[in-house]
Amino acid sequence: MSADKPAPDDKPASAATSPAKKTPLYDVHRELGANLVDFAGYLMPLRYASETAEHRAVRTGAGLFDLSHMGEIFLNGPGAGAALDYALVGKLSPMAVGKARYTMICAPDGGVLDDLIVYRLADETFMVVANASNAVTVREALVERAAGFETVVDDRSDAYALIALQGPDAEGILARFTAAPLPDVKYYAITADEVAGVDALLARTGYTGEDGFELFVSAEDAVRLWQELAAVEGVVPAGLSARDTLRLEAGMPLYGNELTSETNPYEAGLGRVVKLDKPGDFVGKATLAAQAQTPPGRRLVGLVAHGRRAPRKGYEVVTSDGTPCGVVTSGAPSPTLGRPIALAYVDCALSTEPGAETGLAVDVRGRRERVDVVDLPFYKRS
């Protein structure tokens, strides 16, 4: 799912003049000298020093992220699973306790309102984690769609902080602070335990393409937990810029870029999350079923640039004769690949199979930069 951040070319408001909310870790970020920006209504660390160094720390060791701007919305009651089956495109009611699932909430016309991770915490309790910029939209839609089901929608976003420890060393580091059997917590699973003496929901999920954990704790406990983890040698605080290049290398969509209310799951190559075969109706089912049978006019592809200038969001993709045929949704220099990479929607009428000679280019400020279409993800951990 998306942990949304400003695109590299965005110009966020100054932290000094922003009316944005502060996460429980705001003072910690200031003490660390973070570049704080107004994002999705919160003052968030964009970077602490070098976003490239932060990126590489996650790829080779461990990075520590503040994701407390994300939304945590609970559904409680015997009808919670059925309500989510109706409200979302996935099949959530059969999910076992302690498991998580990536899914989406769509409008009746099939447009994506947000991509989500849903955790089942107990037989009658689910936690829906929404992107910060969409948390209110998701909450309001869930309240409306859950009406008539035996469940209560409870937005606890302000009560929670979310800290992510990501990277190949994450399990070993976290094992120092918890008795939880971490090897038994598989990918997309969650358990409740103490971490550094703090009650936490410990999920093996993330948005970086690496192994790692996301820790949901009370807002009051956030500073204590962060300081305990940050004190471990090799743990590097990482900001939203590094998180964006990490998720881009991993080919993970970002809401507002690859996913929008004007985009349906099939265009984004995520039709697999739409469970048309689940019993009963759900919001958007009829439209999504029709879209599943109709070849999309565009598709999401990965691009690797030949030159050093990075394609950015909104730049045109053009054919060899300069005809526009698509648009870049995300792009940046890849610290891991050493070349600029991008995600883009392109016309399905084009032959754009990975490895084929396409002649495609991106118009980078008036200059055509040749690109190759490649398989996604750009990076996959071994």
Side-chain angles (χ1 to χ4, degrees), residues 72-84 119-128 142 146 149-156 160:
E72 292 86 16
I73 303 165
F74 286 70
L75 276 77
N76 298 281
L84 288 172
Y119 301 87
R120 189 165 199 164
L121 305 181
D123 285 342
E124 297 184 359
T125 304
F126 293 78
M127 178 174 66
V128 178
L142 288 175
F149 292 89
E150 199 172 349
T151 187
V152 174
V153 178
D154 182 13
D155 186 350
R156 302 183 195 172
Y160 275 91

Side-chain angles (χ1 to χ4, degrees), residues 94-119:
M95 187 165 59
V97 173
K99 297 298 183 181
R101 187 161 296 166
Y102 176 79
T103 187
M104 296 179 182
I105 184 167
C106 287
D109 67 359
V112 179
L113 298 179
D114 201 12
D115 63 335
L116 313 163
I117 295 181
V118 178
Y119 301 87

